[in-house]
Amino acid sequence: MNASRLTESLAAELQDIAAAGLSRRRRVLESPCGRIATVDGKNVLNFAANDYLGLAGNSQIARALADGALQWGAGSGASHLVSGHLAPHEALETEIAAFTGFARALTFSTGYLANLAVTPTLAGRGAAVFADKLNHASLIDAMQLAKANGADVHRYPHNDVAALEKMLAASDAPTKLIVTDAVFSMDGDLAPLPLLFALAERYDAWLVIDDAHGFGVLGPHGRGSLAHFNLPAAPRIVLMGTLGKAAGVGGAFVAGSATAIDYLLQKGRSYIFTTAAPPAIACALSESLRQIAAGDALRATLMARLGQLRDGLAGLPLKLLPSPTAIQPLIVGDNAAAVALSQALWQRDLWVPAIRPPTVPKGTARLRISVSAAHTEADIAQLTAALKELA
Ligand SMILES: *Cc1c(COP(=O)(O)O)cnc(C)c1O
């Protein structure tokens, strides 16, 4: 085979994707992440970002990043276990453990890497993994890795606790893991964590929770979904949270018992074999954690904007899913109609992405409206008025 045949086969596949109207493209922002994005010189209201508290543009966090870089340099130089674990990383771990209530925490450069470290490492050969069907792609990839390592993997229908219990009861695997998003990233709904925790206790399973969209937003002081449900930082829970969404910076953490965290540190390949994030990121995240903990006013603003959006769209023929979180999906159904609606909003200087299969189930193409504490009342009013006119 020669190189041109290889690239030609890719080109043919790309043409199929384009013909199906499923080509993805990136918009280049000429402005920082914030309530307004500048694209091709045009200002649009940004309902696409996961910056739920508006901290991505926070000047104190940016200052902590800049000061951190001046003090600690640009890079970490190595993986955490070699020589890349600097004092700001260590301090951030301690702060995250204290904030989440767990004994220990590890930090990662991305949530994707964090998820790849947890499930495949805890689920050795002969283990059984039980995962919600709507889990994030990174959890699905983690599950596939666990499978490649010899674990049995099972997917249960979305939030179907009864179906999950049947699967758990039928399994005689010595190690069981229940793996779920806490807030589902395309639906905005919550996993029934108290029921999942009760099942984990009854069947002596790990409960692995991905709180990418709950951390910073839900619970007292923004401690996340576990705190929202008043659940304990139990040793069988391993909590993952991302730090590039509400926290406004980048990276992720995994928190758990001292033993579970030490095990991941010793054996988690996507922790061990990657360069530690720049220490300045940890400096910025320490400041972000302080802002999250003191961010009740931001969370109150976010909740007020969410209420305004839901009230404003109540009479529409298109329906919002019943989401209590910053992710507000407006179900359109047809792929082309969802894209057309997103484009019509863009014409009105409103950026609301259309999400289509395979990211969401067939027939449920939607607009994914991300609300932020940075949005003003007038921003939400502009969006609801446009949707009333178009939908
Ligand atoms: C965004 C996201 C991740 C990945 O986190 P990154 O830090 O962006 O790699 C993992 N899980 C869920 C549910 C997410 O929404």
Side-chain angles (χ1 to χ4, degrees), residues 12-52:
E13 211 177 307
L14 287 173
Q15 267 165 17
D16 292 344
I17 293 171
L22 291 174
S23 289
R24 295 163 182 259
R25 68 192 181 96
R26 302 168 301 172
R27 287 193 163 115
V28 179
L29 279 77
E30 293 139 15
S31 58
C33 174
R35 59 177 272 273
I36 292 176
T38 310
V39 178
D40 293 332
K42 165 183 157 105
N43 287 338
V44 294
L45 280 175
N46 186 355
F47 291 98
N50 303 312
D51 179 27
Y52 305 126

Side-chain angles (χ1 to χ4, degrees), residues 110-112 115 136 138 181 183 185 210 212-213 240 242 245 251-252:
T110 73
Y112 194 104
N115 277 338
H136 187 263
S138 57
D181 281 23
V183 174
S185 51
D210 177 336
H213 301 279
M240 175 275 196
T242 63
K245 288 168 180 158

Side-chain angles (χ1 to χ4, degrees), residues 2-388:
N2 60 39
S4 84
R5 240 192 81 192
L6 293 173
T7 53
E8 273 162 22
S9 93
L10 298 186
E13 211 177 307
L14 287 173
Q15 267 165 17
D16 292 344
I17 293 171
L22 291 174
S23 289
R24 295 163 182 259
R25 68 192 181 96
R26 302 168 301 172
R27 287 193 163 115
V28 179
L29 279 77
E30 293 139 15
S31 58
C33 174
R35 59 177 272 273
I36 292 176
T38 310
V39 178
D40 293 332
K42 165 183 157 105
N43 287 338
V44 294
L45 280 175
N46 186 355
F47 291 98
N50 303 312
D51 179 27
Y52 305 126
L53 298 179
L55 294 182
N58 181 281
S59 57
Q60 280 163 280
I61 298 172
R63 170 94 47 196
L65 183 71
D67 289 348
L70 290 174
Q71 184 176 355
W72 295 97
S76 68
S79 65
H80 284 279
L81 287 172
V82 175
S83 66
H85 190 65
L86 279 64
H89 297 118
E90 179 74 13
L92 178 62
E93 281 184 0
T94 305
E95 289 157 14
I96 288 172
F99 186 63
T100 58
F102 284 91
R104 269 191 84 178
L106 290 179
T107 61
F108 292 78
S109 304
T110 73
Y112 194 104
L113 281 179
N115 277 338
L116 290 191
V118 178
T119 296
T121 308
L122 293 181
R125 177 168 301 282
V129 179
F130 302 88
D132 191 288
K133 277 211 169 131
L134 293 191
N135 276 351
H136 187 263
S138 57
L139 286 177
I140 294 171
D141 290 0
M143 189 181 75
Q144 295 302 337
L145 259 182
K147 189 175 172 183
N149 294 345
D152 278 332
V153 302
H154 310 268
R155 297 180 76 183
Y156 57 90
H158 179 50
N159 279 350
D160 189 339
V161 177
L164 170 60
E165 174 149 31
K166 274 196 196 124
M167 291 177 175
L168 286 164
S171 165
D172 53 11
T175 304
K176 301 183 183 78
L177 285 82
I178 301 169
V179 180
T180 187
D181 281 23
V183 174
F184 287 86
S185 51
M186 295 300 146
D187 291 53
D189 59 337
L190 298 177
L193 294 181
L195 298 176
L196 296 178
F197 181 61
L199 282 186
E201 296 254 274
R202 191 168 317 142
Y203 292 94
D204 193 22
W206 291 103
L207 178 57
V208 176
I209 297 173
D210 177 336
D211 204 17
H213 301 279
F215 184 76
V217 173
L218 297 176
H221 306 292
R223 288 200 164 89
S225 299
L226 281 174
H228 168 82
F229 285 115
N230 208 11
L231 284 167
R236 69 174 62 256
I237 296 179
V238 177
L239 174 71
M240 175 275 196
T242 63
L243 300 168
K245 288 168 180 158
V249 182
F253 68 84
V254 175
S257 71
T259 306
I261 295 302
D262 190 38
Y263 191 80
L264 296 178
L265 185 151
Q266 302 299 330
K267 300 195 64 167
R269 295 174 64 83
S270 70
Y271 183 74
I272 297 169
F273 297 108
T274 189
T275 301
I281 299 283
C283 298
L285 284 167
S286 288
E287 176 58 27
S288 171
L289 266 192
R290 281 188 280 279
Q291 305 251 353
I292 286 173
D296 285 349
L298 289 175
R299 281 180 290 276
T301 302
L302 173 62
M303 292 306 153
R305 301 293 176 265
L306 287 169
Q308 187 194 347
L309 179 79
R310 295 195 67 87
D311 290 347
L313 298 183
L316 224 61
L318 300 179
K319 292 297 168 218
L320 284 173
L321 289 180
S323 157
T325 68
I327 301 164
Q328 293 292 322
L330 188 70
I331 300 295
V332 180
D334 180 67
N335 293 354
V339 172
L341 185 54
S342 173
Q343 281 170 350
L345 289 169
W346 182 263
Q347 294 309 318
R348 287 166 170 73
D349 302 334
L350 294 160
W351 188 355
V352 185
I355 311 285
R356 291 168 292 174
T359 307
V360 293
K362 273 207 176 99
T364 70
R366 65 197 66 185
L367 296 185
R368 182 179 183 275
I369 306 169
S370 283
V371 181
S372 166
H375 290 131
T376 65
E377 249 182 84
D379 295 343
I380 304 289
Q382 193 178 328
L383 176 61
T384 53
L387 279 169
K388 275 185 189 150

